[in-house]
Amino acid sequence: MAAIGQKWVPLYQIDAFTDKPFGGNAAAVCLLGDEELSDDRLQKIAVEMNQSETAFISKLSPQDDFNTSSVFRLRWFTPASEVLLCGHATLASAAALFYVIKNPSPQLTFQTLSGDLFARRDGDFISLDLPENKTQPQDEEKYKDLIKATIGSLPVQDLHFCSSVGGDLLVRIPDSITRKQFEEMKPDVQGMMAAHHDQIGDGVIVTLKGSVENGCVDEEGVQYDFVSRFFDPWSGLPEDPVTGSAHTVLASYWAEELGKTEFYARQCSERAGVLRVRLRGDGRVDIKGQAVVVTTGKINI
């Protein structure tokens, strides 16, 4: 029997951007309903969950229902802080409502710190409708210590910065670097922490143009348009497995570089994930992926 004063709400762990358990990027999804919790309490729950992000879904009014409503409030917390935008935890949130709660809506709307985000059913996939985040060229000298700590002796081909997602530095390495070299790259996390730049809030994206020659192909031999890795040690994420928000930055950058708007991409972390990305031309990016429910339960809030 629950003790007096305890309040239990649904909690799920969902692996996003994968079709198999224990791949992609895991997120905890907590259905708060109309419970009002302090930011400190939400942060404590995120620390307890110890995932790259914990998503909190709230009803907009007491009359709303997780089973039938289609518009909710959504917030994301890492174990260290709240974030402005998180793609994989948004995908996981939609999966919790679509696959566990059995919400029949064809599209869900999430009200967030980055505006309204949308999640649509797309066959076996969920398609996220997120804001495009543009980049600006940067002077490499300004970030030289941080870059060296992140990519070591690998050279830099291009350097851009995106302020609209809280501060992402995008480092492109030369096309001649192989996928093997890229995946074996080991950032100096302590060095990154020491070299942290005031403008960098959300992390460092390292990206490589895909080609058959450099080994950036899938198991069927299909070439990825680009691959990436994402590091954010100052937010408690030495390396994020699959980062949906980073692909709103990457889509904008690679559209300029490749002259196309649809991309087949891979994030090359240990867990890894595959994404289908489309830059729409209206300031929005569609990111399509799969998700797997791994754990269902309740948490005492």
Side-chain angles (χ1 to χ4, degrees):
M1 179 180 295
I4 294 174
Q6 287 188 338
K7 175 69 175 180
W8 296 84
V9 297
L11 177 76
Y12 311 108
Q13 182 168 315
I14 295 174
D15 291 344
F17 296 115
T18 181
D19 61 351
K20 298 179 180 64
F22 319 124
N25 200 355
V29 179
C30 185
L31 303 190
L32 289 179
D34 49 18
E35 294 291 330
E36 293 289 342
L37 300 184
S38 67
D39 288 2
D40 180 67
R41 191 67 171 174
L42 296 176
Q43 188 64 68
K44 282 186 167 75
I45 294 171
V47 170
E48 185 77 9
M49 293 302 97
N50 198 32
Q51 300 297 326
S52 54
E53 265 85 13
T54 296
F56 296 96
I57 309 177
S58 302
K59 300 175 185 177
L60 299 183
S61 73
Q63 292 73 38
D64 289 338
D65 188 292
F66 285 127
N67 297 87
T68 57
S69 299
S70 61
V71 184
F72 303 97
R73 184 174 296 109
L74 178 62
R75 298 175 72 182
W76 315 274
F77 284 75
T78 75
S81 63
E82 185 171 15
V83 295
L84 296 177
L85 179 63
C86 180
H88 91 274
T90 303
L91 183 67
S93 297
L97 295 172
F98 284 150
Y99 302 155
V100 184
I101 303 300
K102 306 298 184 185
N103 187 304
S105 304
Q107 175 174 288
L108 300 171
T109 301
F110 295 114
Q111 296 183 357
T112 79
L113 292 175
S114 289
D116 286 354
L117 310 181
F118 309 95
R120 298 186 298 273
R121 297 176 185 272
D122 191 349
D124 292 334
F125 293 77
I126 294 172
S127 182
L128 302 180
D129 177 342
L130 307 176
E132 175 188 0
N133 288 292
K134 297 183 178 182
T135 65
Q136 296 295 327
Q138 296 293 302
D139 178 9
E140 187 177 334
E141 182 67 21
K142 182 178 179 181
Y143 300 94
K144 65 178 182 179
D145 292 338
L146 179 57
I147 293 169
K148 180 174 176 53
T150 306
I151 66 173
S153 61
L154 293 177
V156 176
Q157 177 167 333
D158 201 3
L159 186 69
H160 278 232
F161 181 75
C162 176
S163 61
S164 55
V165 286
D168 277 350
L169 188 68
L170 185 151
V171 183
R172 177 182 174 184
I173 59 178
D175 305 347
S176 57
I177 300 299
T178 67
R179 176 176 169 180
K180 185 173 185 292
Q181 289 175 291
F182 184 58
E183 293 179 344
E184 289 177 347
M185 181 182 73
K186 293 189 182 340
D188 173 5
V189 173
Q190 293 306 314
M192 290 183 72
M193 296 286 283
H196 183 238
H197 198 284
D198 289 344
Q199 288 184 334
I200 305 297
D202 275 2
V204 179
I205 306 166
V206 185
T207 188
L208 169 67
K209 179 182 175 182
S211 71
V212 174
E213 290 74 22
N214 66 14
C216 290
V217 297
D218 66 13
E219 295 176 352
E220 305 298 323
V222 179
Q223 176 185 315
Y224 295 112
D225 291 296
F226 62 84
V227 298
S228 66
R229 294 176 67 182
F230 184 86
F231 307 97
D232 187 10
W234 37 89
S235 294
L237 300 173
E239 180 166 8
D240 196 36
V242 192
T243 317
S245 60
H247 284 79
T248 66
V249 180
L250 287 160
S252 185
Y253 173 80
W254 282 112
E256 291 287 333
E257 295 298 306
L258 300 179
K260 58 191 296 186
T261 56
E262 296 192 19
F263 309 98
Y264 182 39
R266 180 181 180 87
Q267 192 158 330
C268 294
S269 65
E270 185 175 344
R271 290 173 63 110
V274 174
L275 309 90
R276 297 281 184 176
V277 185
R278 181 170 72 99
L279 185 65
R280 296 204 319 230
D282 60 354
R284 307 290 293 184
V285 178
D286 290 332
I287 299 178
K288 186 163 68 171
Q290 294 177 285
V292 180
V293 180
V294 176
T295 304
T296 65
K298 293 183 177 180
I299 185 171
N300 177 18
I301 60 172

